[in-house]
Amino acid sequence: MTMLGIHSEALENVNAIYHEFLLCYKAHTKKVYGIVEGKEDPIYYKGLISQLLPDDWDVEFIVAGCKNKVLESITFFDWARFSPRRICFFVDRDLSDFFPERPNIPENLYITDNYSIENDVVNFAVFKRLMEEVLNISGLRSDEIDDIERRFNNGLCTFREIMIPIMSQVIYWYRHGQKPCLDHIRLKDFFDFVNGTVSLKNHFLLPQSRLEHVAKCVSLESATLENLISIESEFRMKLGGERYIRGKFLIWFMAEFALDVHRSILNIVKRFTNSPKLKVTIGYSNLMIFVAPRTRCPESLKAFLIHTFGQYIADFMIIE
């Protein structure tokens, strides 16, 4: 396919998003609309948005499929016809802070504070609820909760530190015009989870061995540590370990840590004599279903929703 054909097909796909919106749009109803990237995004956003809407209002989402389609679809809307405060767009920040281009951000576009929405989900407050309400590990004393919190935070810190050179290599590839498929990176090859502790497997203790394995996973040339010195320094300066580790990698960590704590609970909490039974199956592929409703709304998202949906609803009520 020629470049012209690729561009034309992309426009048709984005235009299809606008047409999908027109099919579900109802002018005089108590409803607001959101355009999101992926199929799991509504799981996260719907619960948080619904908490801020009046009881008789609803939000409807359209899944665009990727970030570029969300951003490009904004230009298809007739903003003389539709209120931009009623129709909002939600995208992940990804690694955009490591690239110089700074496009204008319309008032109805929300960009996550960190790499993605998943980054706001992976913390001990959410894990504690997951442990008690889904893993069925309850009745813990405060010292036992403190111990599991320490294990979780230590594990997360270890995981982030190990991932920093890998994320730096991803930035290196992007800056050299290469587009690795990050879904192909097999994190399970690197890590062991035992009794609430996280460690590297012996043959991946050296950073270069991890970089070479990740490069093999995505079928690209590995960067050398010398290539990454300045990028890793920049990554750390921008608090990349806390903010820019890929969200789906963090979700994988949380899923693996949760499963390990459940199977190891008799070793972690010595007074337990029976392992609690799991009533549901959890894992990387479905964890967001369980953790998204247990996540607090980021302040930036709350302010955005008040300025957009909240103001539209207030104006609507006055007119009505």
Side-chain angles (χ1 to χ4, degrees), residues 237-268:
M237 280 182 58
K238 293 181 177 179
L239 302 179
E242 292 77 23
R243 297 191 60 198
Y244 300 115
I245 303 298
R246 187 185 186 221
K248 286 184 171 56
F249 293 162
L250 292 170
I251 285 291
W252 179 86
F253 162 82
M254 186 177 243
E256 292 299 312
F257 190 87
L259 292 170
D260 173 60
V261 166
H262 183 266
R263 65 175 170 261
S264 307
I265 195 61
L266 300 185
N267 295 326
I268 297 172

Side-chain angles (χ1 to χ4, degrees), residues 100-161:
E101 185 179 352
R102 297 278 184 176
N104 292 327
I105 300 174
E107 66 170 338
N108 58 341
L109 172 64
Y110 177 75
I111 302 175
T112 57
D113 296 327
N114 306 308
Y115 186 101
S116 67
I117 57 176
E118 288 91 346
N119 295 61
D120 292 315
V121 167
V122 180
N123 57 66
F124 185 71
V126 175
F127 180 81
K128 182 174 179 289
R129 290 193 59 188
L130 177 73
M131 179 176 65
E132 294 173 343
E133 299 167 14
V134 180
L135 299 181
N136 205 25
I137 301 173
S138 57
L140 295 173
R141 300 192 302 245
S142 61
D143 61 312
E144 293 163 344
I145 294 173
D146 289 346
D147 177 53
I148 294 175
E149 181 175 10
R150 178 186 57 79
R151 293 171 192 259
F152 177 88
N153 289 334
N154 287 346
L156 181 57
C157 183
T158 298
F159 180 80
R160 285 170 166 167
E161 186 63 27

Side-chain angles (χ1 to χ4, degrees), residues 190-201:
F190 295 132
F191 295 96
D192 284 322
F193 292 75
V194 180
N195 295 334
T197 62
V198 182
S199 61
L200 274 169
K201 295 179 180 178

Side-chain angles (χ1 to χ4, degrees), residues 47-112:
L48 297 179
I49 291 172
S50 295
Q51 292 175 23
L52 299 176
L53 296 178
D55 291 342
D56 52 348
W57 282 75
D58 192 18
V59 57
E60 184 165 347
F61 290 98
I62 294 170
V63 176
C66 69
K67 181 177 182 177
N68 285 341
K69 289 181 181 178
V70 175
L71 297 176
E72 291 169 0
S73 68
I74 296 174
T75 62
F76 275 88
F77 281 76
D78 180 1
W79 297 118
R81 175 185 175 188
F82 303 111
S83 168
R85 291 184 173 178
R86 188 183 189 187
I87 305 158
C88 292
F89 301 78
F90 302 84
V91 297
D92 292 337
R93 184 171 297 272
D94 298 327
L95 293 169
S96 59
D97 287 353
F98 294 88
F99 297 87
E101 185 179 352
R102 297 278 184 176
N104 292 327
I105 300 174
E107 66 170 338
N108 58 341
L109 172 64
Y110 177 75
I111 302 175
T112 57

Side-chain angles (χ1 to χ4, degrees), residues 158-173:
T158 298
F159 180 80
R160 285 170 166 167
E161 186 63 27
I162 289 167
M163 296 304 298
I164 285 175
I166 293 173
M167 294 306 302
S168 299
Q169 178 165 254
V170 170
I171 294 171
Y172 173 85
W173 282 327

Side-chain angles (χ1 to χ4, degrees), residues 192-231:
D192 284 322
F193 292 75
V194 180
N195 295 334
T197 62
V198 182
S199 61
L200 274 169
K201 295 179 180 178
N202 288 335
H203 45 293
F204 288 118
L205 293 176
L206 296 177
Q208 191 62 47
S209 66
R210 301 196 294 274
L211 295 176
E212 290 171 357
H213 186 69
V214 167
K216 184 178 180 182
C217 288
V218 299
S219 302
L220 290 174
E221 289 291 324
S222 172
T224 64
L225 293 177
E226 290 75 18
N227 293 145
L228 301 182
I229 288 175
S230 63
I231 297 176

